[in-house]
Amino acid sequence: MKIGIIREGKIPTDNRVALTPEQCNFFTNKFFTKNLSKPDRSSVTLEMENETDEESTIIFYNILGTNVLTEQKSLFKGLNSFDFDIKSLESGMYFIAVNSLSGQRKTMRLIKL
């Protein structure tokens, strides 16, 4: 990728490719389907699809990269749903990493108000 200043009215070519709605749904369903915060903001429910049965580690990191919450979970083939108590976490942005024993890693963001 080249980064530069646009001069003399020259417009660089746009190499982005639009995704179809089916492709958007595929990526959404493949990684994480929902992130549901409870109204009282004391817990969060993660729902995710998995292709096989396996053990995983779910880690919450704060914006500085510090591990603030770690739990071991068993993922089963199909839809998995887990509740996490987050009332001890301060307001801010967190990253949630799901690491499986097979080496796959899925990540998402959580903003706690």
Side-chain angles (χ1 to χ4, degrees):
M1 172 190 284
K2 293 183 180 179
I3 299 175
I5 299 172
I6 299 174
R7 295 184 189 175
E8 301 171 10
K10 295 180 182 177
I11 299 174
T13 58
D14 188 353
N15 295 327
R16 294 179 291 177
V17 178
L19 296 176
T20 65
E22 294 80 20
Q23 290 170 324
C24 290
N25 288 335
F26 169 78
F27 286 113
T28 301
N29 293 332
K30 172 128 176 94
F31 296 104
F32 285 89
T33 55
K34 292 182 182 177
N35 177 15
L36 304 173
S37 291
K38 304 287 190 219
D40 62 2
R41 294 189 176 99
S42 64
S43 65
V44 65
T45 301
L46 297 181
E47 291 184 353
M48 63 193 92
E49 288 276 339
N50 205 44
E51 296 176 1
T52 60
D53 295 346
E54 60 187 339
E55 294 296 316
S56 67
T57 304
I58 300 176
I59 306 169
F60 286 67
Y61 296 100
N62 66 14
I63 194 71
L64 301 174
T66 304
N67 179 341
V68 293
L69 178 66
T70 302
E71 289 197 24
Q72 300 288 328
K73 296 288 184 183
S74 296
L75 296 176
F76 300 102
K77 184 176 182 177
L79 184 64
N80 293 271
S81 179
F82 302 107
D83 290 326
F84 293 93
D85 181 14
I86 60 168
K87 62 182 154 195
S88 65
L89 301 180
E90 295 181 15
S91 296
M93 185 163 69
Y94 295 87
F95 296 96
I96 304 168
V98 181
N99 302 317
S100 67
L101 290 179
S102 63
Q104 293 184 5
R105 182 180 176 114
K106 300 174 185 175
T107 58
M108 68 178 301
R109 288 179 294 193
L110 168 70
I111 298 175
K112 182 179 179 194
L113 302 175

